[in-house]
Amino acid sequence: MLAGFAVSGIDDLAIDLIYWHRRLGDRRTRGRQLSAADFDSIPEKPVAVLTATWHEHDVISQMLRFNAARIAYANYDFIIGTYPNDPQTQAAVDEAVALLPNVIKAVNPRPGPTSKADCLNAAVAAMRRREEERGERYEFIVLHDPEDVLHPLEFKLYNRIFSTRDGIDMVQTPIYSFVVGTWEFTAGAYMDEFAEQHTKNLYAREWATTFIPSAGVATAIKRSALDRLSTGVDPFGTHSLTEDYEIGLKLAMGGMNAIFVRQMLQVVDAEGKETYEVIATRAHFPHTFRTAVRQRTRWIVGIVYQARKEWGWVGGWRMRWMLFHDRKGPWAYATSACGYLFALYVSGFFALRWLWHPEWDGPIPGGQLVEWALIASLTLTLHRVIQQVIATTRVYGWKQGLLSIVRHPWATVVNLVATIRAHEQFRRAQRENTTLSWDKTQHFVPQHVLSSDA
């Protein structure tokens, strides 16, 4: 346990040190705040928004209409991948097609669910047919899920980056969860995780290596880069449950450049007061233990097991470090859970000694060296919690930042159960020589979002 604490803690600490050293030491890393006027002088390049669906009839039509009314960009098409054996989703997409001229339905030739990658490849095929019909290629594609609430200026931001900066092949922008109730620890854990990943960790990855994994949402990929990613005709690898992660890895191994952009936008309200917001995608994440475990199982299978089998340990030492960072989850969650159990044991020991047994010695056998090692491990854990509090506070305010402290142990439990389930799924598939299918998350959008302008 001590070795696991030390290795995982030092790994996380290195990410933190890279970020804070650059963030505090170089003002250029903070970027400049933009206003809507900064995007107006750049011609709008054609954009294809690709979305994969399976049993999304509850959300897909209303979200297409909701986002279309908000997006401050004219030159784009939604291309929605569907399955022939999912008539309800097809009907919902047809409803949107009848209302919105820039929605295109793609039907996978195979019945579903196959994989998200396979459904996206069907959307890519429809995109290419559209290009042939028009005689014009899209400049870049954007990946989104059916429940995403897009920022109105998201496409303008991508268009500005690709138009003004050479050598950029992929742009990842932040994804943040909607705010949830105080006691919704499962959904709240997503708030904490994505806040830290998308305010700090992805910046550190970009500065340390060239490998930024796509989140599969709010990812813009240059059209020319998509062609370079294609194997035959399909850019998304159907062997993986996390094709988004693999896209980032393929870009890095192909010598292409990806960046993470957390762009602050200056907004002037009706009273002339200036405020600032982040150009980010908002989404609803699983609220129940079961659905969260299912989603995280898929992430762990794809990132830890399938990627390791398919890619091994590629690249230089920095790339291998990032691969280790991504793949340490199974044993890191286990050691973290042991750490919380140990903290309970120590707390109980001191309580009992103070109340009834003052004659007891220290709670840890093995001498001072073991005690110092445990103290160091617990200090690294405390540092991890503090970093999460800082990130959550930056996105959601101090109340949610403090709540992240009590959500941290629960997130460890969810991840540990998902790890056990992922290990069993992958080993069974290997043993039986079967293909893991798309165990997708059932998407849902809170009604208050659809009825507001937020």
Side-chain angles (χ1 to χ4, degrees), residues 5-39:
F5 262 126
V7 173
S8 181
I10 292 170
D11 170 57
D12 290 332
L13 180 62
I15 295 286
D16 299 333
L17 290 175
I18 289 171
Y19 173 80
W20 288 111
H21 173 72
R22 288 286 299 271
R23 175 73 179 179
L24 298 176
D26 188 348
R27 295 183 64 86
R28 292 173 299 175
T29 63
R30 304 178 195 183
R32 79 178 186 93
Q33 294 156 344
L34 301 177
S35 67
D38 290 309
F39 301 106

Side-chain angles (χ1 to χ4, degrees), residues 292-305:
V293 166
R294 284 181 58 189
Q295 184 180 64
R296 291 171 183 270
T297 296
R298 178 172 61 83
W299 292 350
I300 294 168
V301 168
I303 294 171
V304 176
Y305 294 105

Side-chain angles (χ1 to χ4, degrees), residues 194-372:
F194 277 81
E196 187 170 9
Q197 286 290 332
H198 290 196
T199 61
K200 174 174 63 69
N201 289 5
L202 287 185
Y203 274 128
R205 293 180 73 117
E206 179 186 341
W207 297 335
T209 71
T210 58
F211 175 31
I212 296 180
S214 162
V217 169
T219 302
I221 303 173
K222 214 165 187 179
R223 182 67 178 82
S224 57
L226 190 72
D227 284 340
R228 293 176 63 185
L229 289 170
S230 299
T231 54
V233 295
D234 295 332
F236 298 100
T238 56
H239 57 277
S240 175
L241 295 181
T242 51
E243 75 300 322
D244 44 6
Y245 178 87
E246 187 177 75
I247 281 288
L249 184 55
K250 289 169 72 173
L251 280 163
M253 294 307 299
M256 290 177 274
N257 295 318
I259 60 173
F260 174 70
V261 177
R262 184 176 182 268
Q263 181 62 58
M264 298 300 296
L265 182 70
Q266 182 186 54
V267 179
V268 180
D269 63 20
E271 299 177 355
K273 182 181 178 181
E274 291 185 359
T275 59
Y276 297 92
E277 65 184 33
V278 180
I279 297 180
T281 296
R282 302 282 174 167
H284 170 92
F285 287 92
H287 276 224
T288 68
F289 179 82
R290 181 182 178 186
T291 53
V293 166
R294 284 181 58 189
Q295 184 180 64
R296 291 171 183 270
T297 296
R298 178 172 61 83
W299 292 350
I300 294 168
V301 168
I303 294 171
V304 176
Y305 294 105
Q306 290 179 325
R308 185 173 61 192
K309 179 185 176 184
E310 178 72 17
W311 289 87
W313 298 93
V314 294
W317 71 268
R318 293 186 179 186
M319 171 68 78
R320 295 187 180 199
W321 170 33
M322 283 300 108
L323 293 175
F324 165 79
H325 179 79
D326 296 335
R327 296 172 185 177
K328 72 177 185 180
W331 56 266
Y333 298 141
T335 55
S336 181
C338 289
Y340 282 115
L341 292 174
F342 176 75
L344 288 174
Y345 158 71
V346 171
S347 300
F349 178 92
F350 280 116
L352 290 172
R353 188 172 72 173
W354 179 66
L355 291 171
W356 294 297
H357 297 283
E359 75 280 4
W360 284 0
D361 293 328
I364 308 166
Q368 191 175 30
L369 182 61
V370 175
E371 289 191 17
W372 279 111

Side-chain angles (χ1 to χ4, degrees), residues 127-128 131 137-141 162 167-170 220-230 235 251 256:
M127 178 193 73
R128 288 171 172 157
E131 289 176 330
R137 281 167 58 96
Y138 294 100
E139 184 69 18
F140 57 94
I141 69 160
F162 286 130
I168 303 299
D169 297 292
M170 186 188 95
I221 303 173
K222 214 165 187 179
R223 182 67 178 82
S224 57
L226 190 72
D227 284 340
R228 293 176 63 185
L229 289 170
S230 299
L251 280 163
M256 290 177 274

